[in-house]
């Protein structure tokens, strides 16, 4: 442990040296090792207290709880997506169904990436001083509005809800409040909606004649919708 990196430890050693030589009248050859020892021990005591690793930043209990819920939701959704992908590979075996299978697999693959993205977001939101800024939220809203202008149907409705959530979060941040909890709730809603689309895909896959073009088109539409949901999740998780 180098005491030179800790001014307080050096000061303590200097006080011992000066006190021993000038006040106690001890030989400086004796006091120098003693002062160095005091400085080194002092640095060892100070270092753990000043180390960032020893005093990790802490999230508020509410934000921590919401992150835990998101981790559970994301993990369950990823498992369901992987199971659906495996099931589709066994059912969509005809050559004319390969494009549909590819679309479904891609949507499921995007969904299985969600737990990793949630962890990346958790790191970004680590610490009570990492409150979402108005600038970050406005950037997210610009992205959502661009996507909104190009969307239709269920995806458009979902983006409108997300845009409204971002407006509320911006208002919270402007008031100086921690908008992270609201942001996490928006994510939770998106994940729940993704789970609903995934379930609809599974129902469609199991209960319809996918040899019919109309049925295949409906499943493809659901796959595209799930993919869009994952892209919208990326706006909140990765921006």
């Amino acid at each position: 442990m180098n005491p030179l990196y800790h001014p307080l430890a050096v000061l303590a050693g200097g006080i011992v040296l000066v006190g021993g030589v000038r006040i106690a009248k001890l030989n400086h050859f004796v006091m120098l090792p003693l002062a160095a020892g005091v400085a080194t021990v002092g640095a060892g005591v100070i270092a753990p207290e000043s180390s960032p690793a020893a005093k990790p930043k802490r999230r508020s209990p509410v934000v921590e709880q919401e992150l835990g819920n998101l981790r559970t939701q994301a993990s369950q959704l990823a498992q369901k997506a992987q199971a659906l992908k495996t099931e589709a590979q066994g059912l969509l075996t005809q050559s004319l169904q390969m494009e549909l299978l590819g679309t479904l697999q891609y949507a499921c693959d995007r969904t299985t990436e969600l737990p990793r993205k949630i962890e990346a977001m958790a790191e970004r939101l680590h610490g009570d001083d990492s409150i979402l800024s108005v600038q970050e939220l406005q950037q997210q809203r610009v992205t959502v509005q661009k996507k909104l202008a190009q969307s239709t149907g269920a995806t458009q409705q979902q983006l409108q809800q997300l845009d409204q959530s971002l407006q509320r979060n911006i208002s919270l941040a402007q008031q100086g409040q921690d908008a992270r909890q609201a942001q996490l709730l928006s994510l939770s809603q998106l994940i729940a909606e993704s789970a609903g689309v995934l379930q609809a895909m599974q129902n469609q896959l199991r209960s319809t004649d996918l040899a019919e073009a109309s049925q295949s088109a409906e499943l493809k539409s659901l796959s595209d919708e799930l993919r869009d949901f994952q892209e919208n999740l990326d706006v909140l998780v990765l921006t």
Side-chain angles (χ1 to χ4, degrees), residues 53 78 107 185 188 190 193 195 234:
L185 289 173
S188 179
L190 281 175
E193 292 175 355
D234 286 351

Coordinates of all heavy atoms in Angstrom, one line a residue, residues 53 78 107 185 188 190 193 195 234:
A53 N -15.0 0.6 -4.7 CA -15.5 -0.8 -4.6 C -16.0 -1.1 -3.2 O -16.9 -1.9 -3.0 CB -14.4 -1.8 -5.0
A78 N -37.7 -14.7 -22.6 CA -36.7 -15.3 -23.4 C -36.8 -16.8 -23.5 O -36.6 -17.4 -24.5 CB -35.3 -14.9 -22.8
A107 N -37.5 -13.0 -34.9 CA -38.3 -12.3 -33.9 C -38.0 -13.0 -32.5 O -37.8 -12.3 -31.5 CB -39.8 -12.4 -34.2
L185 N -41.2 1.0 -15.3 CA -42.6 0.5 -15.5 C -43.0 0.5 -16.9 O -43.8 -0.4 -17.4 CB -43.5 1.5 -14.7 CG -43.4 1.3 -13.1 CD1 -44.2 2.4 -12.5 CD2 -43.9 0.0 -12.7
S188 N -41.6 -2.6 -18.3 CA -42.4 -3.8 -17.8 C -43.7 -3.9 -18.7 O -44.1 -5.1 -19.0 CB -42.8 -3.6 -16.4 OG -43.6 -4.7 -15.9
L190 N -44.1 -2.9 -21.8 CA -43.7 -3.4 -23.1 C -43.4 -4.9 -23.1 O -43.7 -5.6 -24.1 CB -42.4 -2.7 -23.6 CG -42.7 -1.3 -24.2 CD1 -41.3 -0.6 -24.5 CD2 -43.5 -1.3 -25.4
E193 N -46.6 -6.8 -23.0 CA -47.3 -6.8 -24.4 C -46.6 -7.8 -25.3 O -47.2 -8.4 -26.1 CB -47.3 -5.4 -24.9 CG -48.2 -4.5 -24.1 CD -48.2 -3.0 -24.6 OE1 -47.4 -2.7 -25.5 OE2 -49.0 -2.2 -24.1
A195 N -45.1 -10.5 -24.4 CA -45.5 -11.8 -24.0 C -46.8 -12.2 -24.6 O -47.1 -13.3 -25.0 CB -45.5 -11.9 -22.5
D234 N -35.6 -1.6 -27.2 CA -34.3 -1.2 -27.4 C -34.2 0.3 -27.1 O -33.1 0.8 -26.7 CB -33.7 -1.5 -28.8 CG -33.4 -3.0 -28.9 OD1 -33.4 -3.7 -27.9 OD2 -33.1 -3.4 -30.0

